Amino acid sequence: MKQYAKVPEFKGMATLSDEFYYTSDDQNPKFAQNFKLKYFQQVEKLSYDHSIGGGSPSYSTTGWAGRVFFDLPINKGILKLRYDGIIKETGTSGDNKTRYYRSHGEGASVSPFNLNLYTNSRLDFAIYSTSSRYIYLIKPKKKG
């Protein structure tokens, strides 16, 4: 980001770090899956690992990494997003939930992919992020 924006402090608002992520790229439990997959383009079939942690062993699987197109609702509009190198898995953990992962290549462990959005009616902008390392400020286009 070449510029910075000061976020005004409002009484009673939680800090933004708590709204997005704790200490990793996992999605904050306060957020529901707030985006809609429009299209998944299969690009490369590969083997990859899931490293769950917590004493659970890693396991390997095969699937498609590709290009995803999402619609993310923001206030009264839609932000259209495209990401490459994403793996889409459905129903692999004993449920029908769809999960998205970042591919790091053949044989590598995947990492979680989440879209997080913070909006507040008292602000004229939204904050959007896909990882704990990057945050984007979204402002409405000025008319005129």
Side-chain angles (χ1 to χ4, degrees):
M1 181 183 239
K2 293 182 181 176
Q3 298 178 344
Y4 70 93
K6 184 173 179 170
V7 177
E9 293 190 26
F10 290 100
K11 197 173 189 176
M13 287 182 68
T15 62
L16 296 175
S17 61
D18 183 50
E19 292 296 327
F20 282 106
Y21 300 98
Y22 293 115
T23 58
S24 70
D25 288 344
D26 293 337
Q27 191 173 37
N28 188 316
K30 294 179 188 177
F31 285 88
Q33 186 167 309
N34 56 356
F35 54 89
K36 181 178 180 185
L37 177 69
K38 294 299 284 186
Y39 182 71
F40 178 73
Q41 179 184 9
Q42 296 176 343
V43 174
E44 175 186 21
K45 191 164 190 171
L46 48 80
S47 295
Y48 53 93
D49 293 338
H50 281 283
S51 299
I52 300 168
S56 299
S58 297
Y59 67 93
S60 296
T61 189
T62 302
W64 285 93
R67 187 169 290 127
V68 292
F69 297 85
F70 294 113
D71 280 352
L72 181 64
I74 298 180
N75 298 334
K76 296 177 183 170
I78 299 288
L79 181 63
K80 297 183 179 298
L81 303 168
R82 173 191 147 186
Y83 287 95
D84 293 328
I86 303 297
I87 295 169
K88 175 187 167 200
E89 289 185 354
T90 303
T92 56
S93 298
D95 60 22
N96 288 328
K97 185 175 179 182
T98 300
R99 292 173 176 83
Y100 300 94
Y101 301 97
R102 284 187 172 90
S103 170
H104 300 290
E106 179 71 32
S109 290
V110 296
S111 58
F113 176 81
N114 294 300
L115 295 173
N116 286 304
L117 177 71
Y118 178 82
T119 60
N120 186 297
S121 61
R122 296 181 284 177
L123 304 176
D124 67 345
F125 59 86
I127 298 173
Y128 155 78
S129 182
T130 59
S131 80
S132 59
R133 292 185 168 92
Y134 298 98
I135 189 169
Y136 302 94
L137 183 70
I138 302 167
K139 296 184 95 174
K141 224 178 200 184
K142 292 184 179 180
K143 296 178 182 179

